[in-house]
Every structure is written in structure tokens, then in C-alpha cells.
Amino acid sequence: MTAQLSSNGSTTLSSNELHPVTKLFAEFTANAEPSILPLTLISRLKEYLLDYLGVTIATSHDWNKRIHPGFAVHDAFVCVSLAEAGVVGAARSIEGKYGFLHSYTPRTGHDLPSLTADLGVRWDFLETVLKPYPACRMTHGLIEVGGSIGLQNKGREVKKMTISLSSPNHIVVGSRISNKLHPNNIVDAQFSAYFQLAHAWLYGPETGVEFAKRLKDEPIRILSDNIECIIDDTVKAMGSKLHIEYADGESHDVDIPFPLGEPEHPFNRDQAEAK
């Protein structure tokens, strides 16, 4: 069985400044097969894992992304040990009246067969988005397009750049707070539209993890100060818009509805192999 609940970004006030905080609903993963564990133990393990989903961990947004898998594996072993020791969780926690399916399924008739419909026939993973850049998906359009335009205008002075994002994405990568405007660690840089656009503009989009060596790069910091992120309700999903004002008076507008890797803007085989 695999049980997983993804992290949810949020903000909290601290020392009179708004800081991003990731409230991590700890991820639990347990694989149990009758050849490894008795069926009664597997049933008990499933019950306990769903009980255990109520445990939360709040941490600063620095390295917590790196330890998500570690938490998942660690807690899976804890659950196995507790189940082996006879700890009992909520009975019928999946299909019961107040169980997981009853609480979260949108189907009023609890159409359980739909969970396995087209099993072995429909392969949803083929629609999985590929991430070409080692940064938050919300910044990928800016990296690709901004990096390309930046290389074409190498040395041209930029007066200002304005990034338009959806409201949810603006919270995650566009808030004008110190650790996004001038990030001091890798993860904050990955979740900064300011840093990622400035880095791609100056050094190109195909630099991989090289950005991690440029957290203190002065040209990036100067350009980041001239970038503004705004909320635009016409921007959907992982899309973005970019308005560029040059010091010579010219301007350039770009609409980026689909970042590279989406089905509408596919990542080809050569690009995947290069990555």
C-alpha cells in the first residue's frame, strides 16, 4: 500500500516580516505484500497509516524538500513496527462510513469499481509532465523564454521586467520578500521567480544546477531588484506572462501559457536524454 499526502505551501508572520513556511503533512509510504507480511498485519498497517496521516511537521523553507523522501521511508518503517507490536488503528478506515473514501471521494454513490476502471488499459503516467529545469515548475516558462530572450539581447540594459502569475503561483514564487528576492540557499532560489528569471536572462536557460553556485552573484541581484511580480487572474495553471522594458525605451511582451514539458508544449526525446 502507498499512502501519500503532498506538502502545501503557506505563509506565516515572523519578526514583522512575511516568510514562506512549508507545512508538511508527513508523507507515508508503505509497501506490503502477503509474501512479506501476514495479511492480518497488512490490514492493521493500512489502518494505522491512515491514522498517522494526521501528524504534521512545520519547517522553514530551506532544506525540507530534500528530506521529504526520508520522512516517508522513516515513517513507513515506524508504522510497520507499530503494526507488528499490535497497535490498532481505526477499523475500516478506508471504506467505512467515516473512512477515507467517504470523506474524500466526490462520488456520492461511492463507486469503488471506478478506482480500478481501465486498470492495465489506461496509462495516465504517459501524461506526466517532465521538468526540464531544476527549479519550481512555476518558474519554468520564465527560465525557457526569459533565458532565450536574454541570450538574444546579451549586454542590452534592462530597465524593468514584470512577471504576471496566477494568485496561487504568486504566493509560492512571486512574493516580494527577502528570501525570494535574494535567496541565500538552493531551495529558496528554486522557488524564486526573481532569481530564476534573472539567472536565465544573464546565463541562459540550459545551465542545470549551476545556479546554485551563483546565489551571491551581484549581476543577478541587481537585475532581480528590477523585476516585479504581479497577480494576473487571466494567467492559468503554470503559465506566466513577461513584460520587458529596455533602457533604450523599447519593450517586449511575451505570453507563456504552457511551460516546456506540458502536453501542449512537449519535451522531446532528445531534450529528455540531454537532461
Side-chain angles (χ1 to χ4, degrees):
M1 171 189 176
T2 299
Q4 180 174 334
L5 192 61
S6 63
S7 60
N8 178 28
S10 63
T11 55
T12 184
L13 284 173
S14 175
S15 303
N16 297 320
E17 186 177 0
L18 194 62
H19 294 279
V21 173
T22 297
K23 289 186 177 179
L24 170 62
F25 291 95
E27 299 175 349
F28 300 91
T29 303
N31 294 294
E33 297 180 359
S35 60
I36 300 174
L37 297 172
L39 287 174
T40 54
L41 184 57
I42 292 174
S43 178
R44 192 181 304 154
L45 176 60
K46 291 177 181 178
E47 295 170 1
Y48 191 74
L49 279 172
L50 287 176
D51 266 358
Y52 204 42
L53 287 174
V55 179
T56 62
I57 298 174
T59 184
S60 61
H61 199 187
D62 44 20
W63 292 105
N64 57 305
K65 291 283 287 185
R66 301 290 186 263
I67 60 176
H68 285 184
F71 275 129
V73 174
H74 168 271
D75 291 332
F77 278 108
V78 170
C79 289
V80 170
S81 298
L82 289 168
E84 288 177 331
V87 177
V88 178
R92 303 184 68 223
S93 55
I94 296 178
E95 75 283 7
K97 181 178 179 180
Y98 301 105
F100 187 83
L101 293 176
H102 181 84
S103 300
Y104 291 98
T105 179
R107 300 175 182 272
T108 56
H110 304 295
D111 181 15
L112 298 185
S114 67
L115 296 176
T116 55
D118 298 328
L119 188 64
V121 178
R122 188 181 76 244
W123 305 97
D124 289 339
F125 75 90
L126 294 176
E127 299 299 320
T128 300
V129 170
L130 296 176
K131 293 181 64 175
Y133 310 114
C136 177
R137 184 65 173 155
M138 301 171 189
T139 68
H140 282 201
L142 301 170
I143 295 172
E144 179 195 9
V145 176
S148 176
I149 297 174
L151 289 177
Q152 295 169 17
N153 291 272
K154 200 76 172 176
R156 191 176 184 184
E157 185 179 353
V158 174
K159 179 181 179 181
K160 182 180 180 180
M161 289 195 279
T162 303
I163 300 169
S164 298
L165 300 166
S166 67
S167 180
N169 290 10
H170 184 274
I171 292 172
V172 178
V173 300
S175 298
R176 197 174 185 84
I177 52 179
S178 59
N179 61 325
K180 290 197 182 297
L181 189 59
H182 300 303
N184 290 312
N185 64 67
I186 294 174
V187 176
D188 278 344
Q190 290 175 308
F191 283 79
S192 167
Y194 304 94
F195 179 89
Q196 291 299 331
L197 174 57
H199 181 273
W201 183 275
L202 294 169
Y203 299 103
E206 306 296 341
T207 58
V209 296
E210 289 297 308
F211 76 88
K213 301 176 182 178
R214 300 190 177 109
L215 298 179
K216 303 296 184 182
D217 187 90
E218 191 61 23
I220 290 178
R221 291 189 165 225
I222 292 173
L223 184 54
S224 294
D225 285 332
N226 294 325
I227 296 174
E228 180 183 12
C229 289
I230 63 173
I231 296 172
D232 184 341
D233 292 334
T234 67
V235 177
K236 305 300 180 183
M238 297 297 161
S240 56
K241 295 179 182 178
L242 181 60
H243 175 73
I244 307 161
E245 297 178 35
Y246 297 101
D248 59 17
E250 290 190 14
S251 63
H252 188 185
D253 287 283
V254 189
D255 187 7
I256 315 167
F258 305 107
L260 181 62
E262 296 288 336
E264 298 85 353
H265 184 24
F267 199 46
N268 63 41
R269 186 180 185 88
D270 289 341
Q271 290 171 311
E273 290 181 351
K275 174 180 168 64

